[in-house]
């Protein structure tokens, strides 16, 4: 069995942020990421101003990666729409581009990045990988995001709402480019929402968060999209008859869950620490914030600082996560969605305030 100074499992934003801060603090961690090369993940690709500021501090500049600026939020429900200016400049960027830039920054800072190496389980204080290798470390950073690792799965209480996520891209089109210029569009439906924004290559990232029951009731994702287009003329115009057949998918996303307690040596970061409703578009910022906070905790207090970090981060994430849950629940039911849209038409600035209050800061 090999021993590492610090072991990070998962190379999304949380794992990379932890790696960069550790390397800057003189700890050369090992980061193991199961994917072999650049890949898309189920994500809306929305970078809030808090995520952008954190990325810059980590040495990653979204603008130079081609991120598209976003100044407005458009909420659409049925045939109605409300538009508001966001409190600060946000951006749209594919996760393919973002995650590879973060991993490159981690490697450049001195982290040993191992790609194509999937952890299978945590057993007797060691991580066992798919090739049979076992690695142990005084500090384990669990950064597997939406995926559980056997022996260290998130203790999510039964009964927690678990949504499914789907992602694809709409090919570039002049009409789409005009409609989505500097705008994130959220289409609200019973049981979920679809987010649309332009990515660096001119395609539009299309991401759907949907209650499992609604997905199960449809005859597959393509049929579900046809159903959603029939419910909303604006959404139908965006698709323009395009019904994607290839999807990235994830199931069992436990919105609203936070890791409130920890154990010595185990630092849960990103979606393994707190899962904000994706409608708020702050999961990437939370991933970066938790990765940074966990790494600082290890540097300052050693492996025993894990429990204190976990409790403190749960407190920090409480307000955005709870408020985002409130907005998600209001948006997902017609009975609360209609009055919400009416209110936002009267006070469009309220959506901007909600966007500000759901940032991790
Ligand atoms: C439908 C939907 C839309 C969203 N839209 C947005 C948005 O627009 N903006 C936003 O800020 N947030 C959004 N989010 C949330 C955001 O995607 C997550 O919060 C964020 O990706 C969490 O980052 P992470 O690093 O914790 O995990 P991830 O990004 O999931 O990364 C985890 C990494 O770990 C790797 N991994 C997993 N298991 C293993 C293993 N066993 N061994 C090795 N490697 C492993 C994976 O390959 C992956 O690279 C959305 C979420 C959903 C579900």
């Amino acid at each position: 069995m090999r021993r590492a100074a610090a072991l990070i499992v998962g190379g999304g934003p949380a794992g990379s942020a932890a790696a960069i801060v550790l390397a800057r603090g003189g700890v050369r961690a090992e980061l193991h990421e199961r994917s072999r090369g650049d890949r898309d993940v189920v994500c809306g690709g929305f970078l809030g101003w808090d995520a952008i500021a954190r990325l810059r501090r980590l040495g990653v500049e979204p603008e130079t990666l081609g991120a598209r600026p976003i100044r407005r939020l458009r909420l659409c429900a049925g045939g109605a729409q409300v538009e508001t200016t966001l409190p600060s400049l946000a951006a749209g960027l594919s996760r393919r581009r973002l995650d590879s830039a973060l991993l490159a920054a981690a490697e450049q800072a001195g982290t040993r990045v191992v790609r194509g190496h999937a952890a299978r389980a945590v057993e007797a204080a060691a991580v066992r990988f798919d090739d049979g290798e076992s690695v142990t470390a005084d500090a384990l950073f669990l950064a597997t995001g939406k995926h559980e690792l056997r022996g260290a799965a998130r203790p999510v209480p039964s009964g927690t709402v678990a949504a499914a996520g789907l992602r694809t891209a709409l090919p570039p089109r002049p009409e789409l480019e005009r409609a989505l210029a500097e705008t994130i569009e959220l289409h609200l439906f019973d049981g979920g929402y679809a987010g649309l924004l332009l990515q660096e290559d001119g395609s539009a990232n299309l991401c759907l968060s949907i209650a499992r029951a609604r997905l199960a009731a449809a005859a597959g994702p393509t049929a579900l999209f046809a159903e959603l287009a029939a419910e909303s003329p604006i959404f139908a115009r965006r698709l323009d008859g395009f019904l994607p057949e290839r999807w990235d998918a994830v199931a069992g996303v436990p919105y609203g869950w936070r890791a409130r307690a920890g154990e010595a040596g185990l630092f849960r970061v990103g979606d393994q620490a707190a899962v904000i409703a994706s409608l708020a578009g702050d999961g990437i910022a939370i991933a970066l914030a938790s990765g940074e906070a966990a790494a600082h905790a290890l540097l300052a207090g050693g492996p025993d600082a894990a429990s204190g970090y976990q409790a403190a981060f749960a407190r920090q994430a409480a307000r955005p996560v709870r408020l985002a849950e409130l907005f998600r629940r209001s948006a997902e039911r017609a009975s609360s969605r209609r009055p919400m849209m009416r209110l936002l038409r009267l006070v469009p600035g309220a959506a901007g305030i909600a966007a500000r209050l759901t940032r991790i800061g």
Side-chain angles (χ1 to χ4, degrees):
M1 186 184 306
R2 219 161 39 71
R3 189 165 197 89
L7 183 60
I8 303 171
V9 181
S16 290
I20 293 167
V21 173
L22 288 176
R24 286 178 180 170
V27 174
R28 190 170 183 258
E30 275 184 26
L31 185 156
H32 297 257
E33 163 56 44
R34 67 180 180 180
S35 62
R36 287 187 186 282
D38 298 349
R39 81 284 176 263
D40 289 305
V41 300
V42 176
C43 187
F46 175 80
L47 293 175
W49 44 97
D50 50 346
I52 294 173
R54 285 181 187 281
L55 286 168
R56 286 192 178 128
R57 287 204 293 276
L58 291 167
V60 171
E61 175 52 72
E63 209 180 321
T64 60
L65 297 176
R68 306 281 295 246
I70 295 181
R71 298 175 203 279
R72 284 181 297 276
L73 163 67
R74 186 179 301 130
L75 289 170
C76 308
Q81 55 173 302
V82 182
E83 204 168 296
T84 189
T85 304
L86 288 171
S88 279
L89 185 65
L93 184 67
S94 73
R95 286 292 301 273
R96 169 183 288 270
R97 178 84 46 104
L98 176 68
D99 289 14
S100 62
L102 275 165
L103 274 174
E107 198 157 26
Q108 211 176 1
T111 308
R112 182 175 166 237
V113 174
V114 187
R115 301 286 309 251
H117 205 210
R120 279 282 159 259
V122 179
E123 288 166 351
V127 175
R128 183 168 53 79
F129 289 89
D130 54 357
D131 59 359
E133 188 187 26
S134 279
V135 184
T136 185
D138 290 335
L140 169 63
F141 288 73
L142 205 51
T144 53
K146 304 158 185 82
H147 310 277
E148 308 299 354
L149 189 55
R150 193 143 40 89
R154 289 173 289 191
V156 177
S158 61
T160 306
V161 178
L166 295 166
R167 191 215 78 97
T168 190
L170 303 182
R173 239 173 48 227
E175 197 229 319
L176 215 45
E177 178 80 31
R178 271 194 302 278
L180 298 178
E182 302 199 334
T183 303
I184 167 129
E185 206 168 77
L186 299 182
H187 294 264
L188 311 179
F189 301 102
D190 285 351
Y193 81 97
L196 267 169
L197 54 70
L198 292 173
Q199 313 187 111
E200 64 277 3
D201 62 357
S203 65
N205 191 71
L206 169 57
C207 197
L208 180 74
S209 166
I210 196 83
R212 276 197 298 198
R214 178 138 198 206
L215 180 57
T222 307
L224 175 64
F225 270 82
E227 215 177 89
L228 299 180
E231 284 174 24
S232 161
I234 308 171
F235 191 59
R237 275 209 298 282
R238 301 296 181 255
L239 292 183
D240 194 30
F242 180 81
L243 285 180
E245 279 169 10
R246 292 188 51 181
W247 304 94
D248 301 308
V250 67
V253 183
Y255 289 140
W257 179 82
R258 286 174 292 140
R260 289 160 205 250
E263 52 186 281
L266 177 65
F267 295 82
R268 289 186 185 272
V269 292
D271 280 358
Q272 289 287 317
V275 186
I276 191 167
S278 53
L279 183 82
D282 210 42
I284 296 170
I286 287 183
L288 299 170
S290 57
E292 289 177 86
H296 283 301
L298 177 68
L299 292 171
D304 287 344
S307 300
Y309 145 76
Q310 211 72 65
F313 192 76
R315 284 194 296 278
Q316 189 187 343
R319 188 198 64 195
V321 168
R322 283 197 192 121
L323 275 176
E325 270 305 279
L326 187 74
F327 300 137
R328 180 184 68 76
R329 283 169 203 212
S330 307
E332 284 190 354
R333 280 188 223 110
S335 57
S336 44
R337 189 166 62 241
R338 288 199 193 102
M340 185 183 89
M341 289 295 282
R342 271 200 298 276
L343 172 78
L344 292 176
R345 259 199 305 277
L346 290 172
V347 195
I353 295 170
R356 197 177 312 120
L357 290 174
T358 48
R359 300 302 101 188
I360 187 80

